[in-house]
Amino acid sequence: MSATLFIRHPVSDYAAWKPVYDSTLDLRRRSGTVGASVHRDSSNPNMIVVTLTFGTLAQARDFEDSEELRAAMGRAGVSGPPEFWLTEDLEQTES
């Protein structure tokens, strides 16, 4: 069963954060991601939400706990503690 990891965190500067996020593509793929999306809070442009879909729940948990993720967040200018939500994917619908 696939899983989705939601990560919400503030950044000092989105323009500085985004290239670091982009540079982690290989890490995300090695960790088992099969899809990702980036979102910005409509009332706070420096509050970012990233969704990462993994092939398995275990892969998502391992990524959430990884030192590589924490190091990347530090390089990217994450300016506050991240919030994580981990879900098991049950169904996708058209609308």
Side-chain angles (χ1 to χ4, degrees), residues 5 7 27 52 63-74 84:
L5 177 63
I7 307 171
L27 167 63
L52 301 165
F63 184 78
E64 179 182 354
D65 294 336
S66 75
E67 288 301 319
E68 288 176 291
L69 174 59
R70 297 293 190 272
M73 287 179 164
F84 296 95

Side-chain angles (χ1 to χ4, degrees), residues 33-51:
T33 59
V34 295
S37 62
V38 175
H39 311 266
R40 188 186 330 216
D41 188 300
S42 62
S43 63
N44 179 353
N46 288 321
M47 183 61 74
I48 305 302
V49 176
V50 176
T51 67

Side-chain angles (χ1 to χ4, degrees), residues 6-60:
F6 296 82
I7 307 171
R8 180 177 184 262
H9 58 68
V11 296
S12 299
D13 175 24
Y14 175 80
W17 174 87
K18 184 64 165 68
V20 178
Y21 170 81
D22 291 342
S23 76
T24 65
L25 177 60
D26 185 55
L27 167 63
R28 295 190 313 267
R29 285 183 176 164
R30 282 186 288 116
S31 299
T33 59
V34 295
S37 62
V38 175
H39 311 266
R40 188 186 330 216
D41 188 300
S42 62
S43 63
N44 179 353
N46 288 321
M47 183 61 74
I48 305 302
V49 176
V50 176
T51 67
L52 301 165
T53 303
F54 292 82
T56 69
L57 188 59
Q59 289 171 324

